[in-house]
Amino acid sequence: MNIMDFNVKKLAADAGTFLSRAVQFTEEKLGQAEKTEFDAHLENLLSKAECTKHWTEKIMKQTEVLLQPNPNARIEEFVYEKLDRKAPSRMNNPELLGQYMVDSGNEFGPGTAYGNALIKCGETQKRIGAADRELIQTAAINFLTPLRNFIEGDYKTITKERKLLQNKRLDLDAAKTRLKKAKAAEARAASEQEVRIAQSEFDRQAEITRLLLEGISSTHAHHLRCLNDFVEAQMTYYAQCYQYMLDLQKQLGSFPSTVLANHNQSSSTCAPSSSTTTPSASVTASLSSITNSAASSSFVELKSASGSRKARVLYDYDAANSSELSLLADEVITVYSIPGMDSDWLMGERGNQKGKVPITYLELLN
């Protein structure tokens, strides 16, 4: 027998097997043939595998959306990954915002209160952007990659073996159908032998499939470890962001109650009023009590006298209107009181500039 004859016979046998499976499948759907059912344990394992695949895909896709909200950027990263090339490095949203803030702060002038604050905020946004990159990289390696490996590796193997098991079942049921239709003793003997062979192949494939499906429990345990890594990465990221913003808040300085009240009055036409007590309102109340109790005798003496004193600025202050003077932390200005001025304010002078300044932002010098 030459190779061509062998290939022709093999193709004929494959075509016959395919036709036999198709007939059996069709008759089962029409209720004209019996179907061998999988045992309950195997059915449960198959259901567990399907459920795992379904939710793993959903979690994986939504995690990708969380880490990279821009769909175009996700498509670009996918294309570069398939081409086995490194995607071009671009600024993320916090880094881009930070750069705009730094550029605008330099444009307005680092020596101005607003420009200085913009630069500080911009640098913090850049640090948040760097932390965001680190989160994405860590999550991709420790969380997304294992999930993707399951979908593209383990589950594909399970699907392949499950399809093979389905074919072996069709072969077995087709052989059983032929056995029922056999009349002659010789035909029945041949059909019985065919059923025994088909049953053996079906049982062997069912065992292979079962062993693979039982590995789903190990997959869950592995994904649990990966989930813990993802939570730890998020915890690190949010802790970093909190610390960055805390440092920024300290740099910018807290706003005492007198300043908050002043700014709220100046912006009342823009912001709707609310009867709900907010965290900032409680902070304002606390600061008010602290401010009232912390007024030093030096300020009292200065307000009762007609002279002036030098004072160091404790925090940056951005003037709310033209009657006030903007301040930069650590600069030294001249302050004095004028009749009728509110007890929480003094007049401040810096060169030929002057305006009202809040006393809670000042430290009188000897």
Side-chain angles (χ1 to χ4, degrees):
M1 181 188 298
N2 57 36
I3 295 178
M4 183 173 292
D5 291 338
F6 175 79
N7 289 337
V8 169
K9 288 186 177 182
K10 186 176 184 302
L11 287 173
D14 290 344
T17 301
F18 177 79
L19 180 60
S20 174
R21 290 170 180 170
V23 171
Q24 177 65 27
F25 181 79
T26 303
E27 290 180 349
E28 288 175 358
K29 290 296 182 182
L30 296 175
Q32 298 175 355
E34 294 182 1
K35 175 183 177 181
T36 299
E37 299 292 343
F38 299 144
D39 64 76
H41 179 58
L42 184 59
E43 287 287 0
N44 288 336
L45 290 175
L46 288 169
S47 177
K48 185 177 181 180
E50 283 285 349
C51 184
T52 301
K53 181 252 186 183
H54 171 76
W55 288 111
T56 299
E57 282 184 330
K58 281 187 171 293
I59 292 171
M60 184 177 69
K61 290 178 180 178
Q62 194 56 41
T63 302
E64 291 173 344
V65 172
L66 173 69
L67 298 176
Q68 177 50 268
N70 188 336
N72 294 328
R74 290 201 303 274
I75 293 173
E76 182 185 58
E77 290 172 359
F78 175 79
V79 171
Y80 275 98
E81 181 181 349
K82 291 301 179 183
L83 295 175
D84 197 21
R85 294 174 58 187
K86 185 178 180 181
S89 179
R90 293 189 178 90
M91 284 187 175
N92 55 30
N93 289 333
E95 289 173 331
L96 194 58
L97 173 61
Q99 190 60 53
Y100 287 161
M101 285 182 167
V102 171
D103 291 344
S104 60
N106 288 324
E107 183 77 17
F108 294 142
T112 65
Y114 185 41
N116 183 267
L118 279 170
I119 292 174
K120 290 178 179 177
C121 289
E123 294 298 337
T124 299
Q125 291 296 331
K126 286 184 176 182
R127 295 173 73 187
I128 291 175
D132 190 57
R133 286 183 183 277
E134 185 176 349
L135 170 65
I136 292 174
Q137 183 179 8
T138 303
I141 295 172
N142 296 338
F143 188 60
L144 287 177
T145 298
L147 298 187
R148 188 175 291 109
N149 288 342
F150 168 73
I151 296 296
E152 298 179 356
D154 295 349
Y155 193 78
K156 279 190 175 181
T157 302
I158 291 174
T159 302
K160 178 183 175 182
E161 296 300 331
R162 182 178 181 179
K163 183 178 179 181
L164 190 55
L165 175 62
Q166 180 71 4
N167 288 338
K168 294 299 181 183
R169 184 199 63 77
L170 289 171
D171 291 343
L172 173 60
D173 288 337
K176 289 179 178 179
T177 301
R178 286 191 292 272
L179 176 60
K180 287 183 179 181
K181 294 178 180 179
K183 302 299 182 182
E186 185 178 345
R188 286 189 62 82
S191 296
E192 288 174 352
Q193 178 66 16
E194 184 183 4
V195 169
R196 283 194 294 271
I197 295 173
Q199 183 71 58
S200 175
E201 291 181 352
F202 170 76
D203 292 341
R204 184 170 61 253
Q205 184 58 39
E207 182 65 14
I208 293 172
T209 306
R210 182 184 64 79
L211 290 173
L212 282 172
L213 291 171
E214 287 177 345
I216 292 293
S217 296
S218 298
T219 299
H220 284 191
H222 178 51
H223 287 181
L224 174 59
R225 292 192 295 271
C226 296
L227 182 62
N228 286 331
D229 291 340
F230 178 55
V231 170
E232 185 176 347
Q234 281 189 306
M235 182 184 68
T236 301
Y237 168 72
Y238 289 118
Q240 285 178 321
C241 292
Y242 174 76
Q243 188 60 51
Y244 294 156
M245 298 310 296
L246 198 63
D247 293 342
L248 176 62
Q249 186 184 46
K250 290 178 181 178
Q251 291 179 40
L252 296 178
S254 58
F255 285 85
S257 58
T258 53
V259 180
L260 288 171
N262 185 52
H263 278 266
N264 288 338
Q265 290 174 2
S266 65
S267 60
S268 59
T269 57
C270 301
S273 61
S274 173
S275 59
T276 305
T277 302
T278 62
S280 60
S282 62
V283 172
T284 301
S286 300
L287 285 170
S288 178
S289 62
I290 295 172
T291 302
N292 292 335
S293 62
S296 67
S297 59
S298 298
F299 282 111
V300 174
E301 293 173 2
L302 177 61
K303 295 185 74 65
S304 62
S306 58
S308 62
R309 292 275 297 275
K310 292 291 185 180
R312 185 176 69 86
V313 178
L314 299 175
Y315 315 106
D316 289 352
Y317 174 68
D318 197 12
N321 51 56
S322 58
S323 68
E324 298 178 12
L325 180 66
S326 293
L327 304 173
L328 288 176
D330 295 325
E331 71 173 328
V332 177
I333 62 173
T334 301
V335 292
Y336 55 91
S337 179
I338 59 176
M341 177 168 283
D342 189 282
S343 60
D344 292 326
W345 296 81
L346 288 171
M347 286 298 294
E349 284 190 3
R350 183 201 305 114
N352 57 358
Q353 295 179 319
K354 66 179 180 177
K356 294 194 301 180
V357 294
I359 63 174
T360 48
Y361 277 66
L362 304 173
E363 177 186 24
L364 290 178
L365 301 178
N366 295 328

